Amino acid sequence: MSSSEPTLPSSLRLTVMGSGTSMGVPTIACPCRVCHSSDPHDNRTRPSVLLSGNGQRAIIDTTPDFRFQALREKLDRLDAVVFTHAHADHILGFDDIRPFNLRQKSAMPVYASAETLAILKRTFAYAFTGQQAVSTIPQVILHVIEGPFELLGTLWKPIAAEHGEMKVLGFRVGGLAYLTDFSRVPEESKPLLQGLDDLVIDALRDEPHPMHQTVTQALELVKELRPQRAWFTHIAHDLPHRETNERLLREGFPNVQLAYDGLSFEVRA
Ligand SMILES: [Zn+2]
Ligand SMILES: [Zn+2]
Ligand SMILES: [Zn+2]
């Protein structure tokens, strides 16, 4: 894959790095049965996906579990980081891009909205002083997302969504849309969610939450958008994997399943 002329990929591969909510599952000190489940699908690290294509790899969000996720998936190269928003469960692994800086002898391209970049710079101020550091610090090339951009030899279209009061981004890449952490998709974003093969969306739990979709709300959106397949993510400990999948089937959604850590599938580019 060292050709200087990138050939457009016909397919990409998506790998779910983490499918859990902000505290992860199991949650620290929680006695509930999902947190003590013996089913490995009920172990959910913080939410992130990896996209591979054209010999390159881009990760969406660097969670507090990024190091563990990268080791688990034997990630030996990373070509870009894309951020959805700057909540702690999506950015706190940012410092762990350093091994890729060292190994690849280059700064990491980082794509995010201006608001997200501002919080990233504040949270990781030591990486943005512009001065030579005595120890290793993350080295980045910042790209402000203001519209579609190219990565992995294909076009990424940002999808604006609302996460409570906060503005967040999802991404449409070929036949895939990844939309974590949202409570509402504005009408103007819906054209970007038509004709999908795979829709990966926020479905926190059944109990309403001001910043996340419930299972029922997520299913309403699936009915409206009619993707070939839908995968729920950012899942809390309220939803046991196997039982929830059986319930989705019973309720007439054979094409909707909970995502899980390590899930991987081909995506139309
Ligand atoms: Zn989150
Ligand atoms: Zn629990
Ligand atoms: Zn969030």
Side-chain angles (χ1 to χ4, degrees), residues 203-233:
L204 182 73
R205 62 189 189 194
D206 286 313
E207 199 188 321
H209 188 287
M211 303 182 82
H212 293 278
Q213 288 201 122
T214 62
V215 170
T216 304
Q217 288 167 331
L219 288 174
E220 284 300 317
L221 197 60
V222 169
K223 275 195 273 185
E224 183 185 343
L225 299 173
R226 302 165 60 86
Q228 295 288 315
R229 287 167 297 275
W231 307 90
F232 290 170
T233 193

PDB file of all heavy atoms in Angstrom, residues 203-233:
ATOM      1  N   ALA A 203     -27.907   4.566  21.474  1.00  0.00           N
ATOM      2  CA  ALA A 203     -29.115   4.036  22.143  1.00  0.00           C
ATOM      3  C   ALA A 203     -28.688   3.662  23.557  1.00  0.00           C
ATOM      4  O   ALA A 203     -28.258   2.552  23.820  1.00  0.00           O
ATOM      5  CB  ALA A 203     -29.677   2.842  21.389  1.00  0.00           C
ATOM      6  N   LEU A 204     -28.782   4.619  24.443  1.00  0.00           N
ATOM      7  CA  LEU A 204     -28.194   4.495  25.784  1.00  0.00           C
ATOM      8  C   LEU A 204     -28.851   3.419  26.634  1.00  0.00           C
ATOM      9  O   LEU A 204     -28.192   2.576  27.232  1.00  0.00           O
ATOM     10  CB  LEU A 204     -28.287   5.857  26.494  1.00  0.00           C
ATOM     11  CG  LEU A 204     -27.676   5.953  27.883  1.00  0.00           C
ATOM     12  CD1 LEU A 204     -26.157   5.957  27.796  1.00  0.00           C
ATOM     13  CD2 LEU A 204     -28.169   7.205  28.612  1.00  0.00           C
ATOM     14  N   ARG A 205     -30.197   3.490  26.703  1.00  0.00           N
ATOM     15  CA  ARG A 205     -30.956   2.652  27.644  1.00  0.00           C
ATOM     16  C   ARG A 205     -32.445   2.897  27.368  1.00  0.00           C
ATOM     17  O   ARG A 205     -32.794   3.611  26.431  1.00  0.00           O
ATOM     18  CB  ARG A 205     -30.594   3.043  29.081  1.00  0.00           C
ATOM     19  CG  ARG A 205     -30.953   4.486  29.409  1.00  0.00           C
ATOM     20  CD  ARG A 205     -30.418   4.965  30.757  1.00  0.00           C
ATOM     21  NE  ARG A 205     -30.978   6.271  31.078  1.00  0.00           N
ATOM     22  CZ  ARG A 205     -30.509   7.058  32.042  1.00  0.00           C
ATOM     23  NH1 ARG A 205     -29.474   6.675  32.759  1.00  0.00           N
ATOM     24  NH2 ARG A 205     -31.082   8.209  32.276  1.00  0.00           N
ATOM     25  N   ASP A 206     -33.322   2.360  28.221  1.00  0.00           N
ATOM     26  CA  ASP A 206     -34.758   2.593  28.046  1.00  0.00           C
ATOM     27  C   ASP A 206     -35.223   3.868  28.756  1.00  0.00           C
ATOM     28  O   ASP A 206     -36.135   4.548  28.286  1.00  0.00           O
ATOM     29  CB  ASP A 206     -35.551   1.387  28.572  1.00  0.00           C
ATOM     30  CG  ASP A 206     -35.440   0.206  27.638  1.00  0.00           C
ATOM     31  OD1 ASP A 206     -35.610   0.397  26.418  1.00  0.00           O
ATOM     32  OD2 ASP A 206     -35.146  -0.906  28.109  1.00  0.00           O
ATOM     33  N   GLU A 207     -34.606   4.155  29.874  1.00  0.00           N
ATOM     34  CA  GLU A 207     -34.998   5.333  30.659  1.00  0.00           C
ATOM     35  C   GLU A 207     -34.583   6.607  29.921  1.00  0.00           C
ATOM     36  O   GLU A 207     -33.445   6.694  29.440  1.00  0.00           O
ATOM     37  CB  GLU A 207     -34.279   5.252  32.011  1.00  0.00           C
ATOM     38  CG  GLU A 207     -34.878   6.107  33.096  1.00  0.00           C
ATOM     39  CD  GLU A 207     -33.969   6.092  34.338  1.00  0.00           C
ATOM     40  OE1 GLU A 207     -33.413   5.021  34.653  1.00  0.00           O
ATOM     41  OE2 GLU A 207     -33.814   7.153  34.950  1.00  0.00           O
ATOM     42  N   PRO A 208     -35.472   7.600  29.823  1.00  0.00           N
ATOM     43  CA  PRO A 208     -35.111   8.828  29.089  1.00  0.00           C
ATOM     44  C   PRO A 208     -33.883   9.532  29.673  1.00  0.00           C
ATOM     45  O   PRO A 208     -33.616   9.449  30.874  1.00  0.00           O
ATOM     46  CB  PRO A 208     -36.357   9.705  29.262  1.00  0.00           C
ATOM     47  CG  PRO A 208     -37.466   8.754  29.519  1.00  0.00           C
ATOM     48  CD  PRO A 208     -36.863   7.607  30.285  1.00  0.00           C
ATOM     49  N   HIS A 209     -33.134  10.171  28.799  1.00  0.00           N
ATOM     50  CA  HIS A 209     -31.925  10.903  29.186  1.00  0.00           C
ATOM     51  C   HIS A 209     -31.914  12.202  28.373  1.00  0.00           C
ATOM     52  O   HIS A 209     -32.244  12.181  27.191  1.00  0.00           O
ATOM     53  CB  HIS A 209     -30.689  10.050  28.880  1.00  0.00           C
ATOM     54  CG  HIS A 209     -29.403  10.620  29.412  1.00  0.00           C
ATOM     55  ND1 HIS A 209     -28.793  11.716  28.840  1.00  0.00           N
ATOM     56  CD2 HIS A 209     -28.629  10.249  30.457  1.00  0.00           C
ATOM     57  CE1 HIS A 209     -27.691  11.993  29.526  1.00  0.00           C
ATOM     58  NE2 HIS A 209     -27.561  11.117  30.514  1.00  0.00           N
ATOM     59  N   PRO A 210     -31.533  13.334  28.985  1.00  0.00           N
ATOM     60  CA  PRO A 210     -31.595  14.607  28.249  1.00  0.00           C
ATOM     61  C   PRO A 210     -30.611  14.713  27.085  1.00  0.00           C
ATOM     62  O   PRO A 210     -30.793  15.548  26.196  1.00  0.00           O
ATOM     63  CB  PRO A 210     -31.264  15.649  29.322  1.00  0.00           C
ATOM     64  CG  PRO A 210     -30.556  14.893  30.409  1.00  0.00           C
ATOM     65  CD  PRO A 210     -31.131  13.510  30.384  1.00  0.00           C
ATOM     66  N   MET A 211     -29.575  13.863  27.063  1.00  0.00           N
ATOM     67  CA  MET A 211     -28.536  14.020  26.031  1.00  0.00           C
ATOM     68  C   MET A 211     -28.372  12.819  25.116  1.00  0.00           C
ATOM     69  O   MET A 211     -27.555  12.848  24.200  1.00  0.00           O
ATOM     70  CB  MET A 211     -27.193  14.334  26.701  1.00  0.00           C
ATOM     71  CG  MET A 211     -27.273  15.568  27.571  1.00  0.00           C
ATOM     72  SD  MET A 211     -25.696  15.974  28.297  1.00  0.00           S
ATOM     73  CE  MET A 211     -24.934  16.841  26.940  1.00  0.00           C
ATOM     74  N   HIS A 212     -29.119  11.748  25.404  1.00  0.00           N
ATOM     75  CA  HIS A 212     -28.963  10.530  24.599  1.00  0.00           C
ATOM     76  C   HIS A 212     -30.314   9.976  24.184  1.00  0.00           C
ATOM     77  O   HIS A 212     -31.314  10.216  24.839  1.00  0.00           O
ATOM     78  CB  HIS A 212     -28.223   9.450  25.403  1.00  0.00           C
ATOM     79  CG  HIS A 212     -26.805   9.784  25.710  1.00  0.00           C
ATOM     80  ND1 HIS A 212     -25.791   9.588  24.809  1.00  0.00           N
ATOM     81  CD2 HIS A 212     -26.236  10.327  26.816  1.00  0.00           C
ATOM     82  CE1 HIS A 212     -24.644   9.977  25.358  1.00  0.00           C
ATOM     83  NE2 HIS A 212     -24.880  10.442  26.562  1.00  0.00           N
ATOM     84  N   GLN A 213     -30.296   9.191  23.118  1.00  0.00           N
ATOM     85  CA  GLN A 213     -31.513   8.510  22.686  1.00  0.00           C
ATOM     86  C   GLN A 213     -31.786   7.291  23.548  1.00  0.00           C
ATOM     87  O   GLN A 213     -30.862   6.599  23.968  1.00  0.00           O
ATOM     88  CB  GLN A 213     -31.334   8.006  21.260  1.00  0.00           C
ATOM     89  CG  GLN A 213     -31.336   9.068  20.198  1.00  0.00           C
ATOM     90  CD  GLN A 213     -31.673   8.422  18.868  1.00  0.00           C
ATOM     91  OE1 GLN A 213     -32.638   8.806  18.225  1.00  0.00           O
ATOM     92  NE2 GLN A 213     -30.903   7.445  18.468  1.00  0.00           N
ATOM     93  N   THR A 214     -33.057   7.002  23.740  1.00  0.00           N
ATOM     94  CA  THR A 214     -33.452   5.724  24.331  1.00  0.00           C
ATOM     95  C   THR A 214     -33.527   4.696  23.198  1.00  0.00           C
ATOM     96  O   THR A 214     -33.469   5.051  22.012  1.00  0.00           O
ATOM     97  CB  THR A 214     -34.844   5.826  24.978  1.00  0.00           C
ATOM     98  OG1 THR A 214     -35.786   6.158  23.940  1.00  0.00           O
ATOM     99  CG2 THR A 214     -34.879   6.877  26.072  1.00  0.00           C
ATOM    100  N   VAL A 215     -33.716   3.438  23.588  1.00  0.00           N
ATOM    101  CA  VAL A 215     -33.896   2.381  22.593  1.00  0.00           C
ATOM    102  C   VAL A 215     -35.103   2.704  21.712  1.00  0.00           C
ATOM    103  O   VAL A 215     -35.035   2.604  20.480  1.00  0.00           O
ATOM    104  CB  VAL A 215     -34.072   1.003  23.289  1.00  0.00           C
ATOM    105  CG1 VAL A 215     -34.511  -0.063  22.297  1.00  0.00           C
ATOM    106  CG2 VAL A 215     -32.771   0.590  23.976  1.00  0.00           C
ATOM    107  N   THR A 216     -36.205   3.118  22.317  1.00  0.00           N
ATOM    108  CA  THR A 216     -37.425   3.431  21.548  1.00  0.00           C
ATOM    109  C   THR A 216     -37.171   4.570  20.565  1.00  0.00           C
ATOM    110  O   THR A 216     -37.577   4.494  19.397  1.00  0.00           O
ATOM    111  CB  THR A 216     -38.575   3.804  22.515  1.00  0.00           C
ATOM    112  OG1 THR A 216     -38.734   2.724  23.430  1.00  0.00           O
ATOM    113  CG2 THR A 216     -39.865   4.044  21.770  1.00  0.00           C
ATOM    114  N   GLN A 217     -36.488   5.625  21.018  1.00  0.00           N
ATOM    115  CA  GLN A 217     -36.191   6.747  20.111  1.00  0.00           C
ATOM    116  C   GLN A 217     -35.270   6.303  18.974  1.00  0.00           C
ATOM    117  O   GLN A 217     -35.449   6.715  17.822  1.00  0.00           O
ATOM    118  CB  GLN A 217     -35.538   7.892  20.898  1.00  0.00           C
ATOM    119  CG  GLN A 217     -36.524   8.609  21.816  1.00  0.00           C
ATOM    120  CD  GLN A 217     -35.827   9.516  22.818  1.00  0.00           C
ATOM    121  OE1 GLN A 217     -34.682   9.276  23.225  1.00  0.00           O
ATOM    122  NE2 GLN A 217     -36.497  10.579  23.223  1.00  0.00           N
ATOM    123  N   ALA A 218     -34.301   5.460  19.300  1.00  0.00           N
ATOM    124  CA  ALA A 218     -33.381   4.969  18.261  1.00  0.00           C
ATOM    125  C   ALA A 218     -34.139   4.141  17.230  1.00  0.00           C
ATOM    126  O   ALA A 218     -33.902   4.259  16.023  1.00  0.00           O
ATOM    127  CB  ALA A 218     -32.251   4.161  18.897  1.00  0.00           C
ATOM    128  N   LEU A 219     -35.098   3.332  17.709  1.00  0.00           N
ATOM    129  CA  LEU A 219     -35.877   2.508  16.777  1.00  0.00           C
ATOM    130  C   LEU A 219     -36.784   3.374  15.896  1.00  0.00           C
ATOM    131  O   LEU A 219     -36.980   3.069  14.715  1.00  0.00           O
ATOM    132  CB  LEU A 219     -36.707   1.474  17.550  1.00  0.00           C
ATOM    133  CG  LEU A 219     -35.901   0.324  18.164  1.00  0.00           C
ATOM    134  CD1 LEU A 219     -36.790  -0.567  19.036  1.00  0.00           C
ATOM    135  CD2 LEU A 219     -35.212  -0.521  17.084  1.00  0.00           C
ATOM    136  N   GLU A 220     -37.311   4.458  16.472  1.00  0.00           N
ATOM    137  CA  GLU A 220     -38.109   5.387  15.670  1.00  0.00           C
ATOM    138  C   GLU A 220     -37.272   5.952  14.520  1.00  0.00           C
ATOM    139  O   GLU A 220     -37.728   6.072  13.385  1.00  0.00           O
ATOM    140  CB  GLU A 220     -38.605   6.552  16.554  1.00  0.00           C
ATOM    141  CG  GLU A 220     -39.754   6.181  17.476  1.00  0.00           C
ATOM    142  CD  GLU A 220     -40.984   5.689  16.711  1.00  0.00           C
ATOM    143  OE1 GLU A 220     -41.335   6.304  15.672  1.00  0.00           O
ATOM    144  OE2 GLU A 220     -41.588   4.678  17.148  1.00  0.00           O
ATOM    145  N   LEU A 221     -36.040   6.315  14.825  1.00  0.00           N
ATOM    146  CA  LEU A 221     -35.144   6.874  13.812  1.00  0.00           C
ATOM    147  C   LEU A 221     -34.803   5.823  12.748  1.00  0.00           C
ATOM    148  O   LEU A 221     -34.750   6.125  11.560  1.00  0.00           O
ATOM    149  CB  LEU A 221     -33.870   7.405  14.486  1.00  0.00           C
ATOM    150  CG  LEU A 221     -33.017   8.360  13.655  1.00  0.00           C
ATOM    151  CD1 LEU A 221     -33.785   9.612  13.250  1.00  0.00           C
ATOM    152  CD2 LEU A 221     -31.746   8.746  14.422  1.00  0.00           C
ATOM    153  N   VAL A 222     -34.616   4.585  13.193  1.00  0.00           N
ATOM    154  CA  VAL A 222     -34.341   3.495  12.243  1.00  0.00           C
ATOM    155  C   VAL A 222     -35.536   3.329  11.298  1.00  0.00           C
ATOM    156  O   VAL A 222     -35.374   3.186  10.083  1.00  0.00           O
ATOM    157  CB  VAL A 222     -34.030   2.178  12.987  1.00  0.00           C
ATOM    158  CG1 VAL A 222     -34.018   0.990  12.024  1.00  0.00           C
ATOM    159  CG2 VAL A 222     -32.693   2.283  13.715  1.00  0.00           C
ATOM    160  N   LYS A 223     -36.744   3.391  11.854  1.00  0.00           N
ATOM    161  CA  LYS A 223     -37.953   3.241  11.022  1.00  0.00           C
ATOM    162  C   LYS A 223     -38.037   4.369  10.000  1.00  0.00           C
ATOM    163  O   LYS A 223     -38.439   4.181   8.863  1.00  0.00           O
ATOM    164  CB  LYS A 223     -39.210   3.251  11.907  1.00  0.00           C
ATOM    165  CG  LYS A 223     -39.535   1.884  12.480  1.00  0.00           C
ATOM    166  CD  LYS A 223     -40.943   1.835  13.033  1.00  0.00           C
ATOM    167  CE  LYS A 223     -40.964   2.298  14.477  1.00  0.00           C
ATOM    168  NZ  LYS A 223     -42.289   2.153  15.110  1.00  0.00           N
ATOM    169  N   GLU A 224     -37.639   5.561  10.432  1.00  0.00           N
ATOM    170  CA  GLU A 224     -37.712   6.721   9.541  1.00  0.00           C
ATOM    171  C   GLU A 224     -36.639   6.664   8.439  1.00  0.00           C
ATOM    172  O   GLU A 224     -36.916   6.934   7.273  1.00  0.00           O
ATOM    173  CB  GLU A 224     -37.544   8.003  10.377  1.00  0.00           C
ATOM    174  CG  GLU A 224     -37.671   9.275   9.557  1.00  0.00           C
ATOM    175  CD  GLU A 224     -37.391  10.534  10.372  1.00  0.00           C
ATOM    176  OE1 GLU A 224     -37.414  10.468  11.622  1.00  0.00           O
ATOM    177  OE2 GLU A 224     -37.139  11.568   9.733  1.00  0.00           O
ATOM    178  N   LEU A 225     -35.415   6.305   8.830  1.00  0.00           N
ATOM    179  CA  LEU A 225     -34.292   6.386   7.885  1.00  0.00           C
ATOM    180  C   LEU A 225     -34.113   5.119   7.050  1.00  0.00           C
ATOM    181  O   LEU A 225     -33.480   5.157   5.995  1.00  0.00           O
ATOM    182  CB  LEU A 225     -32.993   6.690   8.648  1.00  0.00           C
ATOM    183  CG  LEU A 225     -32.978   8.010   9.421  1.00  0.00           C
ATOM    184  CD1 LEU A 225     -31.717   8.112  10.271  1.00  0.00           C
ATOM    185  CD2 LEU A 225     -33.068   9.211   8.473  1.00  0.00           C
ATOM    186  N   ARG A 226     -34.618   4.000   7.556  1.00  0.00           N
ATOM    187  CA  ARG A 226     -34.598   2.723   6.838  1.00  0.00           C
ATOM    188  C   ARG A 226     -33.228   2.312   6.303  1.00  0.00           C
ATOM    189  O   ARG A 226     -33.074   2.021   5.106  1.00  0.00           O
ATOM    190  CB  ARG A 226     -35.614   2.746   5.696  1.00  0.00           C
ATOM    191  CG  ARG A 226     -37.033   3.026   6.172  1.00  0.00           C
ATOM    192  CD  ARG A 226     -37.954   3.399   5.029  1.00  0.00           C
ATOM    193  NE  ARG A 226     -38.056   2.337   4.030  1.00  0.00           N
ATOM    194  CZ  ARG A 226     -38.907   1.322   4.112  1.00  0.00           C
ATOM    195  NH1 ARG A 226     -39.721   1.228   5.140  1.00  0.00           N
ATOM    196  NH2 ARG A 226     -38.942   0.407   3.175  1.00  0.00           N
ATOM    197  N   PRO A 227     -32.216   2.265   7.159  1.00  0.00           N
ATOM    198  CA  PRO A 227     -30.933   1.713   6.717  1.00  0.00           C
ATOM    199  C   PRO A 227     -31.063   0.198   6.541  1.00  0.00           C
ATOM    200  O   PRO A 227     -32.004  -0.399   7.081  1.00  0.00           O
ATOM    201  CB  PRO A 227     -29.994   2.028   7.892  1.00  0.00           C
ATOM    202  CG  PRO A 227     -30.894   2.004   9.087  1.00  0.00           C
ATOM    203  CD  PRO A 227     -32.221   2.579   8.604  1.00  0.00           C
ATOM    204  N   GLN A 228     -30.130  -0.407   5.792  1.00  0.00           N
ATOM    205  CA  GLN A 228     -30.146  -1.875   5.659  1.00  0.00           C
ATOM    206  C   GLN A 228     -29.974  -2.526   7.030  1.00  0.00           C
ATOM    207  O   GLN A 228     -30.658  -3.469   7.365  1.00  0.00           O
ATOM    208  CB  GLN A 228     -28.999  -2.335   4.744  1.00  0.00           C
ATOM    209  CG  GLN A 228     -29.128  -1.873   3.302  1.00  0.00           C
ATOM    210  CD  GLN A 228     -30.237  -2.623   2.574  1.00  0.00           C
ATOM    211  OE1 GLN A 228     -30.356  -3.841   2.689  1.00  0.00           O
ATOM    212  NE2 GLN A 228     -31.057  -1.889   1.848  1.00  0.00           N
ATOM    213  N   ARG A 229     -29.002  -2.002   7.786  1.00  0.00           N
ATOM    214  CA  ARG A 229     -28.727  -2.513   9.133  1.00  0.00           C
ATOM    215  C   ARG A 229     -28.510  -1.332  10.073  1.00  0.00           C
ATOM    216  O   ARG A 229     -28.032  -0.283   9.649  1.00  0.00           O
ATOM    217  CB  ARG A 229     -27.445  -3.361   9.151  1.00  0.00           C
ATOM    218  CG  ARG A 229     -27.550  -4.728   8.514  1.00  0.00           C
ATOM    219  CD  ARG A 229     -26.178  -5.341   8.290  1.00  0.00           C
ATOM    220  NE  ARG A 229     -25.396  -4.528   7.356  1.00  0.00           N
ATOM    221  CZ  ARG A 229     -25.463  -4.630   6.027  1.00  0.00           C
ATOM    222  NH1 ARG A 229     -26.256  -5.531   5.475  1.00  0.00           N
ATOM    223  NH2 ARG A 229     -24.751  -3.846   5.253  1.00  0.00           N
ATOM    224  N   ALA A 230     -28.857  -1.533  11.334  1.00  0.00           N
ATOM    225  CA  ALA A 230     -28.536  -0.523  12.339  1.00  0.00           C
ATOM    226  C   ALA A 230     -27.886  -1.202  13.526  1.00  0.00           C
ATOM    227  O   ALA A 230     -28.197  -2.356  13.861  1.00  0.00           O
ATOM    228  CB  ALA A 230     -29.791   0.223  12.779  1.00  0.00           C
ATOM    229  N   TRP A 231     -26.957  -0.479  14.117  1.00  0.00           N
ATOM    230  CA  TRP A 231     -26.204  -0.985  15.273  1.00  0.00           C
ATOM    231  C   TRP A 231     -26.295   0.064  16.365  1.00  0.00           C
ATOM    232  O   TRP A 231     -25.999   1.236  16.131  1.00  0.00           O
ATOM    233  CB  TRP A 231     -24.731  -1.184  14.890  1.00  0.00           C
ATOM    234  CG  TRP A 231     -24.525  -2.026  13.682  1.00  0.00           C
ATOM    235  CD1 TRP A 231     -24.458  -1.610  12.374  1.00  0.00           C
ATOM    236  CD2 TRP A 231     -24.347  -3.449  13.646  1.00  0.00           C
ATOM    237  NE1 TRP A 231     -24.256  -2.682  11.537  1.00  0.00           N
ATOM    238  CE2 TRP A 231     -24.184  -3.824  12.295  1.00  0.00           C
ATOM    239  CE3 TRP A 231     -24.316  -4.435  14.640  1.00  0.00           C
ATOM    240  CZ2 TRP A 231     -23.991  -5.147  11.903  1.00  0.00           C
ATOM    241  CZ3 TRP A 231     -24.113  -5.754  14.244  1.00  0.00           C
ATOM    242  CH2 TRP A 231     -23.949  -6.096  12.898  1.00  0.00           C
ATOM    243  N   PHE A 232     -26.672  -0.375  17.561  1.00  0.00           N
ATOM    244  CA  PHE A 232     -26.751   0.565  18.679  1.00  0.00           C
ATOM    245  C   PHE A 232     -25.414   0.630  19.403  1.00  0.00           C
ATOM    246  O   PHE A 232     -24.746  -0.390  19.575  1.00  0.00           O
ATOM    247  CB  PHE A 232     -27.848   0.143  19.662  1.00  0.00           C
ATOM    248  CG  PHE A 232     -29.250   0.318  19.124  1.00  0.00           C
ATOM    249  CD1 PHE A 232     -30.338  -0.206  19.812  1.00  0.00           C
ATOM    250  CD2 PHE A 232     -29.489   1.021  17.937  1.00  0.00           C
ATOM    251  CE1 PHE A 232     -31.630  -0.049  19.330  1.00  0.00           C
ATOM    252  CE2 PHE A 232     -30.778   1.191  17.444  1.00  0.00           C
ATOM    253  CZ  PHE A 232     -31.852   0.645  18.149  1.00  0.00           C
ATOM    254  N   THR A 233     -25.072   1.838  19.867  1.00  0.00           N
ATOM    255  CA  THR A 233     -23.825   2.007  20.607  1.00  0.00           C
ATOM    256  C   THR A 233     -24.026   2.984  21.761  1.00  0.00           C
ATOM    257  O   THR A 233     -25.142   3.429  22.010  1.00  0.00           O
ATOM    258  CB  THR A 233     -22.680   2.430  19.664  1.00  0.00           C
ATOM    259  OG1 THR A 233     -21.437   2.290  20.365  1.00  0.00           O
ATOM    260  CG2 THR A 233     -22.836   3.866  19.171  1.00  0.00           C
TER     261      THR A 233
END
